[in-house]
Amino acid sequence: MGTLTAVTAGEAGVKLISGLTSKEAEGVTLVEPAESGWLVVVEVVEDRRIPSSGDILALYEADLDKEGNLLSYRRKARYRRGTGG
């Protein structure tokens, strides 16, 4: 994959988290350099509700190495849309 930029690290984080959780990603909320590579936080929809203001969202944190390989991931927060994570 080669050395990542912030943009490609964010894209890799979305793909990896979506694949691991089988959930739809809303977007990237954080990308920052880390000692081992990149830290990426992705917001996902864990449970769709009607109306969408009742959706349950979660923030997942992924640690990627400099080539984009996943080192670890974890769910950091779970919350209802509009209440923030």
Side-chain angles (χ1 to χ4, degrees), residues 19-41:
L20 287 165
T21 63
S22 299
K23 305 290 184 186
E24 178 186 347
E26 287 279 291
V28 174
T29 62
L30 174 89
V31 177
E32 68 180 19
E35 188 174 315
S36 59
W38 293 94
L39 174 65
V40 180
V41 177

mmCIF file of all heavy atoms in Angstrom, residues 19-41:
data_model
loop_
_atom_site.group_PDB
_atom_site.id
_atom_site.type_symbol
_atom_site.label_atom_id
_atom_site.label_comp_id
_atom_site.label_asym_id
_atom_site.label_seq_id
_atom_site.Cartn_x
_atom_site.Cartn_y
_atom_site.Cartn_z
ATOM 1 N N GLY A 19 -15.629 -2.756 7.182
ATOM 2 C CA GLY A 19 -15.492 -4.190 6.939
ATOM 3 C C GLY A 19 -15.554 -5.023 8.204
ATOM 4 O O GLY A 19 -16.186 -6.079 8.236
ATOM 5 N N LEU A 20 -14.920 -4.548 9.242
ATOM 6 C CA LEU A 20 -14.891 -5.300 10.503
ATOM 7 C C LEU A 20 -16.225 -5.281 11.239
ATOM 8 O O LEU A 20 -16.597 -6.257 11.887
ATOM 9 C CB LEU A 20 -13.801 -4.741 11.425
ATOM 10 C CG LEU A 20 -12.376 -5.071 11.007
ATOM 11 C CD1 LEU A 20 -11.395 -4.192 11.758
ATOM 12 C CD2 LEU A 20 -12.077 -6.543 11.266
ATOM 13 N N THR A 21 -16.927 -4.168 11.173
ATOM 14 C CA THR A 21 -18.180 -4.032 11.929
ATOM 15 C C THR A 21 -19.414 -4.358 11.102
ATOM 16 O O THR A 21 -20.497 -4.506 11.663
ATOM 17 C CB THR A 21 -18.338 -2.590 12.465
ATOM 18 O OG1 THR A 21 -18.433 -1.680 11.363
ATOM 19 C CG2 THR A 21 -17.189 -2.211 13.386
ATOM 20 N N SER A 22 -19.268 -4.435 9.787
ATOM 21 C CA SER A 22 -20.407 -4.612 8.868
ATOM 22 C C SER A 22 -21.428 -3.487 9.029
ATOM 23 O O SER A 22 -22.619 -3.686 8.841
ATOM 24 C CB SER A 22 -21.081 -5.962 9.083
ATOM 25 O OG SER A 22 -20.181 -7.006 8.842
ATOM 26 N N LYS A 23 -20.950 -2.307 9.390
ATOM 27 C CA LYS A 23 -21.809 -1.135 9.578
ATOM 28 C C LYS A 23 -21.415 -0.048 8.585
ATOM 29 O O LYS A 23 -20.270 0.032 8.149
ATOM 30 C CB LYS A 23 -21.679 -0.570 11.003
ATOM 31 C CG LYS A 23 -21.952 -1.571 12.107
ATOM 32 C CD LYS A 23 -23.402 -1.946 12.158
ATOM 33 C CE LYS A 23 -23.655 -2.882 13.329
ATOM 34 N NZ LYS A 23 -25.005 -3.382 13.360
ATOM 35 N N GLU A 24 -22.383 0.818 8.254
ATOM 36 C CA GLU A 24 -22.150 1.914 7.320
ATOM 37 C C GLU A 24 -21.422 3.070 8.010
ATOM 38 O O GLU A 24 -21.851 3.532 9.067
ATOM 39 C CB GLU A 24 -23.496 2.403 6.785
ATOM 40 C CG GLU A 24 -23.387 3.569 5.829
ATOM 41 C CD GLU A 24 -24.753 4.123 5.440
ATOM 42 O OE1 GLU A 24 -25.773 3.466 5.710
ATOM 43 O OE2 GLU A 24 -24.763 5.230 4.883
ATOM 44 N N ALA A 25 -20.346 3.520 7.405
ATOM 45 C CA ALA A 25 -19.588 4.648 7.959
ATOM 46 C C ALA A 25 -20.263 5.960 7.580
ATOM 47 O O ALA A 25 -20.684 6.138 6.445
ATOM 48 C CB ALA A 25 -18.158 4.632 7.449
ATOM 49 N N GLU A 26 -20.380 6.864 8.550
ATOM 50 C CA GLU A 26 -20.869 8.214 8.303
ATOM 51 C C GLU A 26 -19.735 9.107 7.832
ATOM 52 O O GLU A 26 -19.935 10.008 7.043
ATOM 53 C CB GLU A 26 -21.463 8.815 9.585
ATOM 54 C CG GLU A 26 -22.795 8.235 9.983
ATOM 55 C CD GLU A 26 -23.937 8.852 9.216
ATOM 56 O OE1 GLU A 26 -24.236 10.039 9.424
ATOM 57 O OE2 GLU A 26 -24.527 8.130 8.405
ATOM 58 N N GLY A 27 -18.542 8.874 8.369
ATOM 59 C CA GLY A 27 -17.391 9.673 7.984
ATOM 60 C C GLY A 27 -16.268 9.571 8.992
ATOM 61 O O GLY A 27 -16.385 8.918 10.022
ATOM 62 N N VAL A 28 -15.180 10.230 8.669
ATOM 63 C CA VAL A 28 -13.994 10.269 9.524
ATOM 64 C C VAL A 28 -14.094 11.506 10.406
ATOM 65 O O VAL A 28 -14.397 12.596 9.927
ATOM 66 C CB VAL A 28 -12.711 10.327 8.668
ATOM 67 C CG1 VAL A 28 -11.481 10.514 9.524
ATOM 68 C CG2 VAL A 28 -12.597 9.073 7.816
ATOM 69 N N THR A 29 -13.867 11.340 11.699
ATOM 70 C CA THR A 29 -13.918 12.481 12.612
ATOM 71 C C THR A 29 -12.535 12.918 13.085
ATOM 72 O O THR A 29 -12.388 14.004 13.624
ATOM 73 C CB THR A 29 -14.796 12.174 13.843
ATOM 74 O OG1 THR A 29 -14.234 11.082 14.568
ATOM 75 C CG2 THR A 29 -16.215 11.834 13.419
ATOM 76 N N LEU A 30 -11.524 12.054 12.878
ATOM 77 C CA LEU A 30 -10.167 12.414 13.299
ATOM 78 C C LEU A 30 -9.162 11.588 12.516
ATOM 79 O O LEU A 30 -9.363 10.388 12.332
ATOM 80 C CB LEU A 30 -9.972 12.127 14.799
ATOM 81 C CG LEU A 30 -8.546 12.327 15.322
ATOM 82 C CD1 LEU A 30 -8.367 13.757 15.783
ATOM 83 C CD2 LEU A 30 -8.239 11.385 16.448
ATOM 84 N N VAL A 31 -8.113 12.233 12.067
ATOM 85 C CA VAL A 31 -6.928 11.557 11.508
ATOM 86 C C VAL A 31 -5.729 12.300 12.062
ATOM 87 O O VAL A 31 -5.624 13.518 11.906
ATOM 88 C CB VAL A 31 -6.888 11.612 9.960
ATOM 89 C CG1 VAL A 31 -5.610 10.957 9.450
ATOM 90 C CG2 VAL A 31 -8.097 10.958 9.351
ATOM 91 N N GLU A 32 -4.842 11.569 12.731
ATOM 92 C CA GLU A 32 -3.639 12.223 13.232
ATOM 93 C C GLU A 32 -2.475 11.243 13.225
ATOM 94 O O GLU A 32 -2.678 10.035 13.399
ATOM 95 C CB GLU A 32 -3.851 12.824 14.617
ATOM 96 C CG GLU A 32 -4.063 11.842 15.725
ATOM 97 C CD GLU A 32 -4.278 12.515 17.072
ATOM 98 O OE1 GLU A 32 -4.625 13.710 17.112
ATOM 99 O OE2 GLU A 32 -4.102 11.837 18.086
ATOM 100 N N PRO A 33 -1.288 11.772 13.013
ATOM 101 C CA PRO A 33 -0.104 10.910 13.044
ATOM 102 C C PRO A 33 0.059 10.299 14.436
ATOM 103 O O PRO A 33 -0.246 10.936 15.452
ATOM 104 C CB PRO A 33 1.051 11.855 12.737
ATOM 105 C CG PRO A 33 0.448 13.116 12.238
ATOM 106 C CD PRO A 33 -0.954 13.164 12.743
ATOM 107 N N ALA A 34 0.501 9.071 14.468
ATOM 108 C CA ALA A 34 0.786 8.377 15.723
ATOM 109 C C ALA A 34 2.193 7.795 15.628
ATOM 110 O O ALA A 34 2.780 7.738 14.548
ATOM 111 C CB ALA A 34 -0.240 7.276 15.963
ATOM 112 N N GLU A 35 2.707 7.358 16.746
ATOM 113 C CA GLU A 35 4.065 6.815 16.788
ATOM 114 C C GLU A 35 4.242 5.661 15.794
ATOM 115 O O GLU A 35 5.234 5.576 15.084
ATOM 116 C CB GLU A 35 4.382 6.341 18.208
ATOM 117 C CG GLU A 35 5.820 5.946 18.411
ATOM 118 C CD GLU A 35 6.117 5.626 19.850
ATOM 119 O OE1 GLU A 35 5.693 6.388 20.735
ATOM 120 O OE2 GLU A 35 6.771 4.597 20.081
ATOM 121 N N SER A 36 3.225 4.800 15.702
ATOM 122 C CA SER A 36 3.317 3.625 14.835
ATOM 123 C C SER A 36 2.801 3.874 13.425
ATOM 124 O O SER A 36 2.946 3.026 12.554
ATOM 125 C CB SER A 36 2.539 2.470 15.471
ATOM 126 O OG SER A 36 1.187 2.850 15.650
ATOM 127 N N GLY A 37 2.134 5.018 13.187
ATOM 128 C CA GLY A 37 1.575 5.312 11.870
ATOM 129 C C GLY A 37 0.496 6.378 11.953
ATOM 130 O O GLY A 37 0.801 7.557 11.987
ATOM 131 N N TRP A 38 -0.779 5.924 12.023
ATOM 132 C CA TRP A 38 -1.908 6.853 12.040
ATOM 133 C C TRP A 38 -2.982 6.402 13.015
ATOM 134 O O TRP A 38 -3.231 5.204 13.161
ATOM 135 C CB TRP A 38 -2.540 6.949 10.650
ATOM 136 C CG TRP A 38 -1.646 7.594 9.652
ATOM 137 C CD1 TRP A 38 -0.793 6.970 8.806
ATOM 138 C CD2 TRP A 38 -1.492 8.993 9.414
ATOM 139 N NE1 TRP A 38 -0.116 7.891 8.050
ATOM 140 C CE2 TRP A 38 -0.535 9.145 8.401
ATOM 141 C CE3 TRP A 38 -2.090 10.126 9.949
ATOM 142 C CZ2 TRP A 38 -0.146 10.376 7.910
ATOM 143 C CZ3 TRP A 38 -1.709 11.356 9.469
ATOM 144 C CH2 TRP A 38 -0.750 11.481 8.462
ATOM 145 N N LEU A 39 -3.632 7.370 13.646
ATOM 146 C CA LEU A 39 -4.817 7.136 14.461
ATOM 147 C C LEU A 39 -5.994 7.712 13.675
ATOM 148 O O LEU A 39 -5.964 8.879 13.271
ATOM 149 C CB LEU A 39 -4.697 7.843 15.816
ATOM 150 C CG LEU A 39 -5.933 7.787 16.704
ATOM 151 C CD1 LEU A 39 -6.215 6.360 17.131
ATOM 152 C CD2 LEU A 39 -5.746 8.679 17.914
ATOM 153 N N VAL A 40 -7.014 6.886 13.430
ATOM 154 C CA VAL A 40 -8.186 7.300 12.659
ATOM 155 C C VAL A 40 -9.429 6.998 13.484
ATOM 156 O O VAL A 40 -9.561 5.895 14.026
ATOM 157 C CB VAL A 40 -8.263 6.542 11.311
ATOM 158 C CG1 VAL A 40 -9.481 6.983 10.511
ATOM 159 C CG2 VAL A 40 -6.992 6.741 10.499
ATOM 160 N N VAL A 41 -10.335 7.977 13.602
ATOM 161 C CA VAL A 41 -11.611 7.766 14.285
ATOM 162 C C VAL A 41 -12.720 7.887 13.241
ATOM 163 O O VAL A 41 -12.773 8.870 12.495
ATOM 164 C CB VAL A 41 -11.821 8.773 15.434
ATOM 165 C CG1 VAL A 41 -13.183 8.568 16.083
ATOM 166 C CG2 VAL A 41 -10.716 8.627 16.474
#
